């Protein structure tokens, strides 16, 4: 949780942290600081550094590196109207992203999978896969910033 306030002095920031906030941003918003905070939490999947079972950064990088190929496979399966490989690949992305603490990416895969289960491969599949690709790009960027 990130506090957004117009009045940040050292004492107030420590009060926000004592109340359970993970970080404090002051108005007017500094775009660079804002992006750094958001991307830090995206990389952590919102779980914080003490998350139990979070995999090493190198494992997450390997997963992100392999994601490009997985996304191509998803697109190909959707274009061929082939539901089973699409379903299996989406479930694998969802499960692996969640295992790496990449909750936004896992949720995006889950939304595509839910749409597939509900509507089959329909006209909305392209936009659902585009959302998944956007989340993958955000995850790549967050990992790049994480060092």
């Amino acid at each position: 949780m990130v506090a957004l306030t117009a009045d940040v002095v050292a004492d107030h920031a420590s009060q926000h942290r004592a109340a359970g906030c993970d970080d404090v941003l002051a108005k007017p918003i500094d775009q660079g600081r804002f992006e750094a905070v958001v991307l830090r939490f995206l990389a952590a999947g919102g779980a914080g550094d003490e998350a139990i079972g979070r995999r090493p950064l190198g494992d997450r990088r390997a997963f992100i590196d392999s994601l490009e190929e997985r996304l191509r496979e998803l697109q190909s399966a959707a274009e061929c109207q082939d539901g089973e490989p699409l379903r299996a690949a989406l479930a694998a992305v969802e499960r692996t992203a969640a295992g790496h603490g990449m909750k936004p990416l896992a949720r995006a895969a889950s939304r595509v999978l839910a749409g597939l289960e509900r509507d089959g491969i329909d006209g909305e599949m392209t936009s659902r896969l585009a959302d998944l690709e956007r989340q993958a790009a955000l995850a790549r960027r967050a990992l790049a910033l994480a060092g």
Side-chain angles (χ1 to χ4, degrees):
M1 177 171 28
V2 178
L4 177 61
T5 180
D7 181 47
V8 172
V9 293
D11 190 40
H12 290 148
S14 64
Q15 289 173 357
H16 289 292
R17 286 189 178 91
C21 293
D22 297 302
D23 210 331
V24 180
L25 292 172
K27 293 193 260 178
I29 300 292
D30 173 90
Q31 185 70 27
R33 171 115 167 85
F34 175 78
E35 285 182 9
V37 168
V38 169
L39 289 171
R40 186 179 72 218
F41 284 100
L42 284 175
D49 290 336
E50 68 282 352
I52 295 172
R54 212 169 87 189
R55 295 183 182 177
L57 191 58
D59 287 353
R60 282 183 274 158
R61 282 202 174 98
F63 167 66
I64 289 296
D65 289 345
S66 72
L67 196 54
E68 288 297 320
E69 180 62 28
R70 290 177 190 224
L71 291 171
R72 281 192 293 278
E73 290 169 3
L74 289 170
Q75 286 290 351
S76 177
E79 289 168 5
C80 293
Q81 301 284 309
D82 201 346
E84 272 313 304
L86 184 58
R87 187 174 287 108
L90 284 166
V93 169
E94 178 186 29
R95 186 176 51 253
T96 308
H100 284 289
M102 298 174 177
K103 291 180 183 180
L105 182 57
R107 283 191 298 266
S110 180
R111 285 191 300 272
V112 178
L113 190 55
L116 177 64
E117 297 296 335
R118 183 182 60 245
D119 305 322
I121 300 175
D122 63 356
E124 295 297 312
M125 184 56 64
T126 301
S127 64
R128 290 184 189 118
L129 288 173
D131 178 52
L132 183 62
E133 289 175 8
R134 281 190 295 277
Q135 290 301 326
L138 286 171
R140 276 192 300 276
R141 188 166 175 213
L143 284 176
L145 289 173

